[in-house]
Amino acid sequence: RDLHSFPTRRSSDLRQLQGIREILLNGNSDYAALEQAATEQLQQLGFEPEYVAIRDADSLSDVNNSTQNRVILAAARLGHTRLIDNLRV
């Protein structure tokens, strides 16, 4: 996490990933729709998202319904600061 970012923006970013994590844990497997929704929400918060991706935590390959270990990856810019984050599911 970039230490030059604003703390309130970082916590907004983290809450966004936690929301996706909860949705995934509740059984939603429409990964593309979740990635798109998260990207749009980050934009509404003032970020310039580079990517939001749900991937296999072991290989970083695309996920499917049999993927056991998943991770949510995100990168976004806020001004000149680039924020990156990940959260295991």
Side-chain angles (χ1 to χ4, degrees):
R1 216 175 296 265
D2 191 316
L3 297 177
H4 298 287
S5 62
F6 302 105
T8 56
R9 293 294 188 174
R10 277 199 319 231
S11 59
S12 294
D13 186 27
L14 184 57
R15 277 196 306 270
Q16 182 63 32
L17 296 184
Q18 288 177 345
I20 296 170
R21 181 179 185 273
E22 293 302 317
I23 292 169
L24 288 168
L25 289 174
N26 286 325
N28 186 327
S29 61
D30 190 347
Y31 304 115
L34 289 170
E35 291 170 352
Q36 181 62 36
T39 298
E40 291 171 3
Q41 288 177 357
L42 286 171
Q43 288 172 330
Q44 291 173 359
L45 291 169
F47 290 93
E48 295 176 34
E50 292 179 17
Y51 61 84
V52 174
I54 303 165
R55 295 290 182 257
D56 182 301
D58 299 319
S59 66
L60 298 181
S61 61
D62 291 337
V63 292
N64 57 48
N65 290 337
S66 65
T67 303
Q68 299 269 327
N69 298 315
R70 297 171 291 183
V71 64
I72 305 164
L73 307 166
R77 292 196 176 274
L78 184 61
H80 295 292
T81 302
R82 184 173 189 251
L83 300 164
I84 57 172
D85 209 345
N86 66 77
L87 183 63
R88 281 191 171 257
V89 178

